[in-house]
Amino acid sequence: MIIRMKQNITDKEWKNIIRYFEERGLSVKDISGETFKVVGIVGDTSVLTDTDVKSLAGVDEITRIQVPYKKASKVFHPTPTIIKVGNVTIGGGHFTVMAGPCSVETREQIISVAEDVKKSGAQILRGGAYKPRTSPYAFQGLELEGLDLLMEARKETGLPIVTEIQSTDMIERYVKDVDIIQVGARNMQNFHLLKALGKIDKPILLKRGLSATIEEWLMAAEYILAGGNEKVILCERGIRTFEKYTRNTLDLSAVLAVKELSHLPVIVDPSHAAGRWSMVSDLSKAALAVGADGIIVEVHNNPECALCDGAQSLKPEKFDSMMKQLKLIAPIVGKKMQ
Ligand code: PEP
Ligand code: MN
């Protein structure tokens, strides 16, 4: 961390600042020039918050050299993390496809979609049992019954299941019955939930928050990793911008940024990004081309009547033709598809 002092800094303020860092086991190197008093703080500055340092009298501006996340950072963990879910591999050159309806609605629906997406080559079944809806009057998910139906669909098809968790009181059940626990965009900064998920041994699919920066997203992953759970999969699902034509704006550069900064696998959710099924196939191809480790896609057998997110859900036939195209492209961009 580099700190530029105020020009009128007093001797007392200067000494106080030096003491502040030395008391925290950090050393201070004076690198002042002719006009500005500047110091470099050497050591593990991840324990410092920007606001605390800025509140010291005499401090004008600070610049971080070290990223505030450690376990999520490539600097401290240069090899890519590879996560195994049954015999499915996420990361390490694989392009993993997770697919299924936004929400589990009926037994027939989830089993028929699970069979269809499996036939097309999806490796993991998605489906929401607890739905985070903007309106309290909208369908909230089948909850426990939804989890039971997902388990039935897994039994029928052999596909591992990914589903969203909303509160810590469900962790025990999810650890027992779910293969990947999804943290939704709205809960990306639910630090209480993240800390609890850090203590379990189960892969976590961490979606990017609606307006989260890449650093905030990686800091959210850091909460899980810091607790000891190293199985974190990041998911870019579009961010809120001024644009209204699409539901969100898919930030494909975030995939590249994560690859530069972190060792964690990162997948793309083109469905929630676009909010329109007609864009899902091409955005999935873009995700593959840009180097994502996979996608999570909404597929519904009857999107017109879906209880949630029908407008962005692919029909099984469309999903199938998208998968055929992805399988052709994958080897060209150096990815393996099972
Ligand atoms: C979902 O996956 O159905 C979902 C609600 O996603 P997000 O948290 O990205 O909005
Ligand atoms: Mn959805």
Side-chain angles (χ1 to χ4, degrees), residues 24 37 39 63 67 112 144 154 188 191 193 200 207 218-219 222 226 237 248 258 267 274 281 283 310:
R24 283 160 180 77
K37 255 186 166 342
V39 291
T63 309
V67 287
S112 110
L144 291 175
R154 172 176 59 198
M188 189 205 84
F191 299 118
L193 179 62
I200 62 172
K207 290 200 151 192
L218 290 172
M219 287 301 278
E222 188 79 9
R237 45 79 72 203
N248 290 291
V258 166
I267 68 166
S281 174
L283 290 178

Side-chain angles (χ1 to χ4, degrees), residues 158-215:
L159 292 177
I161 51 181
V162 56
T163 192
E164 179 169 352
I165 195 162
Q166 290 192 327
S167 68
T168 49
D169 51 11
M170 289 303 291
I171 290 182
E172 219 179 293
R173 172 80 203 268
Y174 274 59
V175 167
K176 188 160 68 72
D177 292 333
V178 167
D179 301 292
I180 302 177
I181 302 178
Q182 178 173 328
V183 175
R186 290 152 194 83
N187 269 317
M188 189 205 84
Q189 282 188 319
N190 180 341
F191 299 118
H192 186 65
L193 179 62
L194 299 177
K195 276 188 206 169
L197 295 173
K199 300 212 180 75
I200 62 172
D201 181 23
K202 187 67 82 173
I204 310 294
L205 179 69
L206 179 64
K207 290 200 151 192
R208 183 178 180 184
L210 307 177
S211 300
T213 64
I214 288 161
E215 187 167 293

